[in-house]
Amino acid sequence: VKRPFFYKIHPTLKISLSIYKPNTNNLVQQNQIYLNCRLKLIQMKHLSFSLLFLFITLSLQAQKTSLFNGENLEGWNIHGTELWYVEKGLLVCESGPDEKYGYLSTEKFYDNFVLTLEFKQEANGNSGVFFRSTLEGTKISGWQVEVAPPGHHSGGIYESYGRGWLIQPDPKKDKSLKMGEWNRMKIKVVGDKVTTWLNGTKMIELEDEKIGKGKGAIALQIHDGGGIKVNWRNLQVKPL
């Protein structure tokens, strides 16, 4: 006798099977069908989770843009006579014979974003990361997140050719800087608010009306005075 019966495999899923069910109630056959159905459901679940994970991963990657390709300075502009070059997959800035200020700016402008990067200071190591900046020669307008030797306010915000220091980190946080080692910096700029982190430590948070009106590029700086060398890698920006 053909008789439909149901197996409840999942709280929201029932599979109806119309099979030949003899009166003798073939339990072996029923159990085999049940196990096969459960196996198919488990496989479908695993496939769904895999596809979801892949989708999330691709979405996150799509939101971030690498500013440095590890091969050349494509996408950047050099300002001044100081040295900017690629060596062993690293972006390097080094004092040139003129020992003056130098900058490397992105061709694109970025308003609201999260920027992450790593730097390693050699020798003096006095540098910085500018945001919403514009340049005429080596005269820059914008705001700098300080990258400097110990005791010189790394992570603070400085306005060049303007108001000077807007905020400096608590001196106790200076120990977050690892001179001569790789450091990870994160900079978040949204509207008039800027937040910086150094090696996971929140350095400053600032709200400033003038910053909120700014427009411009991201730029790396090398300080004047000579004897400076800084390596950079993993520069990634996520527009907001």
Side-chain angles (χ1 to χ4, degrees), residues 53 55 77 84 155 189:
F53 178 78
F55 175 76
N77 295 315
W84 299 90
V189 182

Side-chain angles (χ1 to χ4, degrees), residues 24 27 30 34 42 48 84 111 149 167 176 198-199 207 220 225:
T24 56
L27 294 178
Q30 294 179 25
Y34 174 76
I42 291 171
S48 297
W84 299 90
D111 293 334
I167 187 171
S176 300
L198 183 60
N199 293 321
E207 292 187 34
L220 306 179

Side-chain angles (χ1 to χ4, degrees), residues 65-178:
T65 301
S66 180
L67 296 178
F68 172 54
N69 61 22
E71 299 178 356
N72 53 50
L73 300 181
E74 182 180 354
W76 296 86
N77 295 315
I78 296 176
H79 307 266
T81 58
E82 306 312 293
L83 306 179
W84 299 90
Y85 58 94
V86 179
E87 184 176 69
K88 297 180 180 179
L90 302 177
L91 174 56
V92 183
C93 64
E94 188 174 2
S95 296
D98 293 337
E99 300 183 350
K100 295 183 178 180
Y101 283 103
Y103 300 90
L104 184 72
S105 67
T106 58
E107 293 178 350
K108 294 182 179 180
F109 282 12
Y110 296 91
D111 293 334
N112 298 318
F113 60 86
V114 174
L115 173 68
T116 56
L117 57 84
E118 294 177 89
F119 65 87
K120 183 168 71 172
Q121 302 156 298
E122 298 183 25
N124 187 326
N126 197 334
S127 184
V129 182
F130 277 78
F131 60 92
R132 294 182 182 172
S133 61
T134 56
L135 287 119
E136 294 182 10
T138 56
K139 184 175 181 180
I140 191 166
S141 297
W143 298 272
Q144 176 188 191
V145 179
E146 186 73 8
V147 172
H152 289 79
H153 319 300
S154 288
I157 306 296
Y158 187 88
E159 183 180 275
S160 294
Y161 301 100
R163 295 170 291 172
W165 282 108
L166 301 184
I167 187 171
Q168 297 176 352
D170 185 328
K172 296 178 182 178
K173 296 182 179 180
D174 192 59
K175 63 184 180 181
S176 300
L177 178 69
K178 302 174 183 178

